[in-house]
Amino acid sequence: MTYNKKIVFQVLAEKSNKIGNQFQEWTDFFTAWANVNGVGGREYYSASQVNSQNDMIFKVRYSRKIADFLSSEIRIIYNNNIYDVKHIDDYQEQHRQLTFRTEQHNGRYN
């Protein structure tokens, strides 16, 4: 398997501003080389606008740094697009490769 695409994992971190107010912000956590594969997409109508959904699969070498996160705690940045992680798979718990099933985020890069 060829890992030839650079991706960035981001985590949702708790931060505080100058006056002590707490907020959450996505921050870069880990950069990895990945195998990227599109698994299709679809367009749908919602609230009088056309939306699109692009599903992607990212495969990376196993790393304990990202293996222990829940799918809701991380997201992937690839080609300036945001991908929300829907499922993380460590095939048969072999600790060789992690597979991330994702859906492209349809919002601003934030």
Side-chain angles (χ1 to χ4, degrees):
M1 172 149 323
T2 305
Y3 302 100
N4 59 356
K5 307 293 183 190
K6 191 179 242 183
I7 63 173
V8 175
F9 289 93
Q10 290 186 329
V11 295
L12 196 54
E14 288 282 332
K15 298 211 174 182
S16 60
N17 61 15
K18 293 178 186 176
I19 59 173
N21 293 330
Q22 299 288 324
F23 64 95
Q24 292 183 326
E25 182 177 77
W26 289 102
T27 58
D28 291 356
F29 174 70
F30 186 73
T31 302
W33 291 97
N35 176 279
V36 179
N37 191 13
V39 290
R42 67 184 180 106
E43 287 188 349
Y44 58 94
Y45 293 92
S46 175
S48 300
Q49 65 184 23
V50 177
N51 295 301
S52 64
Q53 177 180 331
N54 294 316
D55 298 337
M56 298 284 275
I57 294 178
F58 296 90
K59 295 181 180 182
V60 299
R61 288 182 181 87
Y62 182 85
S63 171
R64 185 170 296 284
K65 284 184 176 183
I66 55 176
D68 295 332
F69 280 98
L70 299 174
S71 59
S72 61
E73 297 174 325
I74 61 173
R75 69 183 186 180
I76 294 173
I77 306 297
Y78 172 65
N79 282 343
N80 292 323
N81 292 312
I82 300 169
Y83 293 91
D84 296 323
V85 176
K86 298 301 178 191
H87 179 72
I88 304 169
D89 184 30
D90 176 9
Y91 181 70
Q92 294 183 346
E93 296 183 7
Q94 294 178 354
H95 304 320
R96 293 184 184 162
Q97 175 177 276
L98 292 170
T99 301
F100 296 85
R101 291 190 171 275
T102 66
E103 180 179 292
Q104 187 172 356
H105 183 82
N106 284 330
R108 292 186 358 238
Y109 184 86
N110 60 357

